[in-house]
PDB file of all heavy atoms in Angstrom:
ATOM      1  N   ILE A 808      -9.432  22.433  22.301  1.00  0.00           N
ATOM      2  CA  ILE A 808      -9.097  23.250  21.029  1.00  0.00           C
ATOM      3  C   ILE A 808     -10.419  23.688  20.441  1.00  0.00           C
ATOM      4  O   ILE A 808     -11.355  22.894  20.258  1.00  0.00           O
ATOM      5  CB  ILE A 808      -8.233  22.515  20.030  1.00  0.00           C
ATOM      6  CG1 ILE A 808      -6.916  22.042  20.638  1.00  0.00           C
ATOM      7  CG2 ILE A 808      -7.998  23.278  18.726  1.00  0.00           C
ATOM      8  CD1 ILE A 808      -6.180  20.959  19.754  1.00  0.00           C
ATOM      9  N   VAL A 809     -10.534  25.012  20.032  1.00  0.00           N
ATOM     10  CA  VAL A 809     -11.653  25.546  19.340  1.00  0.00           C
ATOM     11  C   VAL A 809     -11.306  26.070  17.992  1.00  0.00           C
ATOM     12  O   VAL A 809     -10.341  26.831  17.881  1.00  0.00           O
ATOM     13  CB  VAL A 809     -12.304  26.744  20.180  1.00  0.00           C
ATOM     14  CG1 VAL A 809     -13.431  27.433  19.442  1.00  0.00           C
ATOM     15  CG2 VAL A 809     -12.757  26.295  21.561  1.00  0.00           C
ATOM     16  N   ALA A 810     -11.940  25.576  16.904  1.00  0.00           N
ATOM     17  CA  ALA A 810     -11.845  26.052  15.649  1.00  0.00           C
ATOM     18  C   ALA A 810     -13.183  26.627  15.108  1.00  0.00           C
ATOM     19  O   ALA A 810     -14.075  26.364  15.686  1.00  0.00           O
ATOM     20  CB  ALA A 810     -11.276  24.843  14.738  1.00  0.00           C
ATOM     21  N   PHE A 811     -12.950  27.302  13.947  1.00  0.00           N
ATOM     22  CA  PHE A 811     -14.264  27.941  13.374  1.00  0.00           C
ATOM     23  C   PHE A 811     -14.358  27.514  11.924  1.00  0.00           C
ATOM     24  O   PHE A 811     -13.474  27.382  11.141  1.00  0.00           O
ATOM     25  CB  PHE A 811     -14.045  29.425  13.450  1.00  0.00           C
ATOM     26  CG  PHE A 811     -13.866  29.892  14.941  1.00  0.00           C
ATOM     27  CD1 PHE A 811     -12.673  30.262  15.306  1.00  0.00           C
ATOM     28  CD2 PHE A 811     -14.968  30.105  15.869  1.00  0.00           C
ATOM     29  CE1 PHE A 811     -12.207  30.599  16.677  1.00  0.00           C
ATOM     30  CE2 PHE A 811     -14.701  30.463  17.112  1.00  0.00           C
ATOM     31  CZ  PHE A 811     -13.361  30.794  17.496  1.00  0.00           C
ATOM     32  N   LEU A 812     -15.660  27.196  11.599  1.00  0.00           N
ATOM     33  CA  LEU A 812     -15.982  26.849  10.186  1.00  0.00           C
ATOM     34  C   LEU A 812     -17.199  27.581   9.752  1.00  0.00           C
ATOM     35  O   LEU A 812     -18.307  27.385  10.344  1.00  0.00           O
ATOM     36  CB  LEU A 812     -16.281  25.296  10.132  1.00  0.00           C
ATOM     37  CG  LEU A 812     -16.658  24.714   8.788  1.00  0.00           C
ATOM     38  CD1 LEU A 812     -15.717  25.071   7.639  1.00  0.00           C
ATOM     39  CD2 LEU A 812     -16.945  23.254   8.899  1.00  0.00           C
ATOM     40  N   ASP A 813     -17.031  28.496   8.899  1.00  0.00           N
ATOM     41  CA  ASP A 813     -18.316  29.276   8.450  1.00  0.00           C
ATOM     42  C   ASP A 813     -19.119  28.328   7.587  1.00  0.00           C
ATOM     43  O   ASP A 813     -18.671  27.401   6.876  1.00  0.00           O
ATOM     44  CB  ASP A 813     -17.744  30.446   7.587  1.00  0.00           C
ATOM     45  CG  ASP A 813     -17.274  31.566   8.413  1.00  0.00           C
ATOM     46  OD1 ASP A 813     -17.351  31.436   9.614  1.00  0.00           O
ATOM     47  OD2 ASP A 813     -16.896  32.613   7.855  1.00  0.00           O
ATOM     48  N   SER A 814     -20.427  28.476   7.687  1.00  0.00           N
ATOM     49  CA  SER A 814     -21.433  27.486   7.159  1.00  0.00           C
ATOM     50  C   SER A 814     -21.573  27.516   5.619  1.00  0.00           C
ATOM     51  O   SER A 814     -22.205  26.553   5.111  1.00  0.00           O
ATOM     52  CB  SER A 814     -22.760  27.757   7.810  1.00  0.00           C
ATOM     53  OG  SER A 814     -23.112  29.185   7.731  1.00  0.00           O
ATOM     54  N   ASP A 815     -20.790  28.407   4.887  1.00  0.00           N
ATOM     55  CA  ASP A 815     -20.775  28.304   3.407  1.00  0.00           C
ATOM     56  C   ASP A 815     -19.416  27.847   2.987  1.00  0.00           C
ATOM     57  O   ASP A 815     -19.150  27.877   1.743  1.00  0.00           O
ATOM     58  CB  ASP A 815     -21.204  29.634   2.751  1.00  0.00           C
ATOM     59  CG  ASP A 815     -20.497  30.808   3.202  1.00  0.00           C
ATOM     60  OD1 ASP A 815     -19.622  30.630   4.198  1.00  0.00           O
ATOM     61  OD2 ASP A 815     -20.511  31.854   2.644  1.00  0.00           O
ATOM     62  N   ASP A 816     -18.662  27.375   3.818  1.00  0.00           N
ATOM     63  CA  ASP A 816     -17.244  26.876   3.602  1.00  0.00           C
ATOM     64  C   ASP A 816     -17.238  25.430   3.989  1.00  0.00           C
ATOM     65  O   ASP A 816     -18.165  24.780   4.423  1.00  0.00           O
ATOM     66  CB  ASP A 816     -16.225  27.694   4.291  1.00  0.00           C
ATOM     67  CG  ASP A 816     -16.202  29.180   3.960  1.00  0.00           C
ATOM     68  OD1 ASP A 816     -16.752  29.520   2.793  1.00  0.00           O
ATOM     69  OD2 ASP A 816     -15.751  30.019   4.659  1.00  0.00           O
ATOM     70  N   ARG A 817     -15.995  24.758   3.854  1.00  0.00           N
ATOM     71  CA  ARG A 817     -15.834  23.417   4.289  1.00  0.00           C
ATOM     72  C   ARG A 817     -14.424  23.111   4.674  1.00  0.00           C
ATOM     73  O   ARG A 817     -13.393  23.823   4.202  1.00  0.00           O
ATOM     74  CB  ARG A 817     -16.204  22.437   3.200  1.00  0.00           C
ATOM     75  CG  ARG A 817     -15.376  22.486   2.058  1.00  0.00           C
ATOM     76  CD  ARG A 817     -15.822  21.428   0.835  1.00  0.00           C
ATOM     77  NE  ARG A 817     -15.036  21.517  -0.353  1.00  0.00           N
ATOM     78  CZ  ARG A 817     -15.246  20.902  -1.466  1.00  0.00           C
ATOM     79  NH1 ARG A 817     -16.373  20.154  -1.520  1.00  0.00           N
ATOM     80  NH2 ARG A 817     -14.473  21.037  -2.549  1.00  0.00           N
ATOM     81  N   PHE A 818     -14.199  22.239   5.557  1.00  0.00           N
ATOM     82  CA  PHE A 818     -12.917  21.642   5.961  1.00  0.00           C
ATOM     83  C   PHE A 818     -12.443  20.648   4.909  1.00  0.00           C
ATOM     84  O   PHE A 818     -13.250  19.910   4.326  1.00  0.00           O
ATOM     85  CB  PHE A 818     -12.889  21.020   7.338  1.00  0.00           C
ATOM     86  CG  PHE A 818     -12.709  21.951   8.419  1.00  0.00           C
ATOM     87  CD1 PHE A 818     -12.968  21.582   9.731  1.00  0.00           C
ATOM     88  CD2 PHE A 818     -12.138  23.201   8.378  1.00  0.00           C
ATOM     89  CE1 PHE A 818     -12.690  22.333  10.872  1.00  0.00           C
ATOM     90  CE2 PHE A 818     -11.843  24.067   9.400  1.00  0.00           C
ATOM     91  CZ  PHE A 818     -12.198  23.675  10.756  1.00  0.00           C
ATOM     92  N   THR A 819     -11.115  20.500   4.751  1.00  0.00           N
ATOM     93  CA  THR A 819     -10.562  19.378   3.960  1.00  0.00           C
ATOM     94  C   THR A 819     -10.700  18.118   4.945  1.00  0.00           C
ATOM     95  O   THR A 819     -10.767  18.241   6.156  1.00  0.00           O
ATOM     96  CB  THR A 819      -9.109  19.627   3.643  1.00  0.00           C
ATOM     97  OG1 THR A 819      -8.278  19.858   4.810  1.00  0.00           O
ATOM     98  CG2 THR A 819      -9.017  20.775   2.685  1.00  0.00           C
ATOM     99  N   PRO A 820     -10.661  16.849   4.375  1.00  0.00           N
ATOM    100  CA  PRO A 820     -10.832  15.777   5.286  1.00  0.00           C
ATOM    101  C   PRO A 820      -9.832  15.644   6.310  1.00  0.00           C
ATOM    102  O   PRO A 820     -10.065  14.954   7.265  1.00  0.00           O
ATOM    103  CB  PRO A 820     -10.809  14.612   4.261  1.00  0.00           C
ATOM    104  CG  PRO A 820     -11.151  15.207   2.945  1.00  0.00           C
ATOM    105  CD  PRO A 820     -10.611  16.585   2.974  1.00  0.00           C
ATOM    106  N   ASP A 821      -8.638  16.169   6.208  1.00  0.00           N
ATOM    107  CA  ASP A 821      -7.582  15.979   7.341  1.00  0.00           C
ATOM    108  C   ASP A 821      -7.594  17.155   8.261  1.00  0.00           C
ATOM    109  O   ASP A 821      -6.614  17.190   9.131  1.00  0.00           O
ATOM    110  CB  ASP A 821      -6.225  15.775   6.564  1.00  0.00           C
ATOM    111  CG  ASP A 821      -5.821  16.943   5.753  1.00  0.00           C
ATOM    112  OD1 ASP A 821      -6.645  17.730   5.311  1.00  0.00           O
ATOM    113  OD2 ASP A 821      -4.626  16.979   5.453  1.00  0.00           O
ATOM    114  N   ALA A 822      -8.446  18.155   8.118  1.00  0.00           N
ATOM    115  CA  ALA A 822      -8.336  19.409   8.841  1.00  0.00           C
ATOM    116  C   ALA A 822      -8.147  19.176  10.379  1.00  0.00           C
ATOM    117  O   ALA A 822      -7.242  19.580  11.042  1.00  0.00           O
ATOM    118  CB  ALA A 822      -9.432  20.342   8.440  1.00  0.00           C
ATOM    119  N   CYS A 823      -9.094  18.512  10.900  1.00  0.00           N
ATOM    120  CA  CYS A 823      -9.167  18.336  12.472  1.00  0.00           C
ATOM    121  C   CYS A 823      -7.922  17.616  12.947  1.00  0.00           C
ATOM    122  O   CYS A 823      -7.262  18.069  13.979  1.00  0.00           O
ATOM    123  CB  CYS A 823     -10.424  17.555  12.843  1.00  0.00           C
ATOM    124  SG  CYS A 823     -11.917  18.625  12.661  1.00  0.00           S
ATOM    125  N   ARG A 824      -7.535  16.588  12.231  1.00  0.00           N
ATOM    126  CA  ARG A 824      -6.343  15.754  12.596  1.00  0.00           C
ATOM    127  C   ARG A 824      -5.049  16.708  12.533  1.00  0.00           C
ATOM    128  O   ARG A 824      -4.258  16.626  13.550  1.00  0.00           O
ATOM    129  CB  ARG A 824      -6.206  14.561  11.785  1.00  0.00           C
ATOM    130  CG  ARG A 824      -4.864  13.763  11.997  1.00  0.00           C
ATOM    131  CD  ARG A 824      -4.859  12.598  11.187  1.00  0.00           C
ATOM    132  NE  ARG A 824      -4.986  12.753   9.776  1.00  0.00           N
ATOM    133  CZ  ARG A 824      -4.051  13.167   8.965  1.00  0.00           C
ATOM    134  NH1 ARG A 824      -2.818  13.532   9.454  1.00  0.00           N
ATOM    135  NH2 ARG A 824      -4.283  13.432   7.672  1.00  0.00           N
ATOM    136  N   VAL A 825      -4.860  17.380  11.483  1.00  0.00           N
ATOM    137  CA  VAL A 825      -3.654  18.228  11.252  1.00  0.00           C
ATOM    138  C   VAL A 825      -3.644  19.301  12.301  1.00  0.00           C
ATOM    139  O   VAL A 825      -2.584  19.614  12.858  1.00  0.00           O
ATOM    140  CB  VAL A 825      -3.585  18.781   9.906  1.00  0.00           C
ATOM    141  CG1 VAL A 825      -2.538  19.783   9.723  1.00  0.00           C
ATOM    142  CG2 VAL A 825      -3.480  17.652   8.849  1.00  0.00           C
ATOM    143  N   ILE A 826      -4.855  19.931  12.634  1.00  0.00           N
ATOM    144  CA  ILE A 826      -4.847  20.979  13.633  1.00  0.00           C
ATOM    145  C   ILE A 826      -4.510  20.388  15.082  1.00  0.00           C
ATOM    146  O   ILE A 826      -3.666  20.983  15.759  1.00  0.00           O
ATOM    147  CB  ILE A 826      -6.233  21.647  13.766  1.00  0.00           C
ATOM    148  CG1 ILE A 826      -6.498  22.436  12.413  1.00  0.00           C
ATOM    149  CG2 ILE A 826      -6.386  22.531  14.871  1.00  0.00           C
ATOM    150  CD1 ILE A 826      -7.948  22.882  12.234  1.00  0.00           C
ATOM    151  N   VAL A 827      -5.107  19.255  15.415  1.00  0.00           N
ATOM    152  CA  VAL A 827      -4.805  18.632  16.648  1.00  0.00           C
ATOM    153  C   VAL A 827      -3.339  18.285  16.844  1.00  0.00           C
ATOM    154  O   VAL A 827      -2.668  18.563  17.873  1.00  0.00           O
ATOM    155  CB  VAL A 827      -5.745  17.485  16.863  1.00  0.00           C
ATOM    156  CG1 VAL A 827      -5.280  16.758  18.150  1.00  0.00           C
ATOM    157  CG2 VAL A 827      -7.185  17.969  17.103  1.00  0.00           C
ATOM    158  N   ASP A 828      -2.849  17.669  15.791  1.00  0.00           N
ATOM    159  CA  ASP A 828      -1.402  17.209  15.808  1.00  0.00           C
ATOM    160  C   ASP A 828      -0.469  18.452  15.895  1.00  0.00           C
ATOM    161  O   ASP A 828       0.490  18.450  16.621  1.00  0.00           O
ATOM    162  CB  ASP A 828      -1.140  16.506  14.481  1.00  0.00           C
ATOM    163  CG  ASP A 828      -1.705  15.095  14.471  1.00  0.00           C
ATOM    164  OD1 ASP A 828      -2.152  14.715  15.488  1.00  0.00           O
ATOM    165  OD2 ASP A 828      -1.698  14.441  13.438  1.00  0.00           O
TER     166      ASP A 828
END
Side-chain angles (χ1 to χ4, degrees):
I808 298 168
V809 179
F811 305 97
L812 174 60
D813 284 358
S814 49
D815 55 351
D816 300 333
R817 67 182 176 185
F818 270 168
T819 60
D821 61 342
C823 288
R824 174 177 53 80
V825 172
I826 292 169
V827 170
D828 287 350

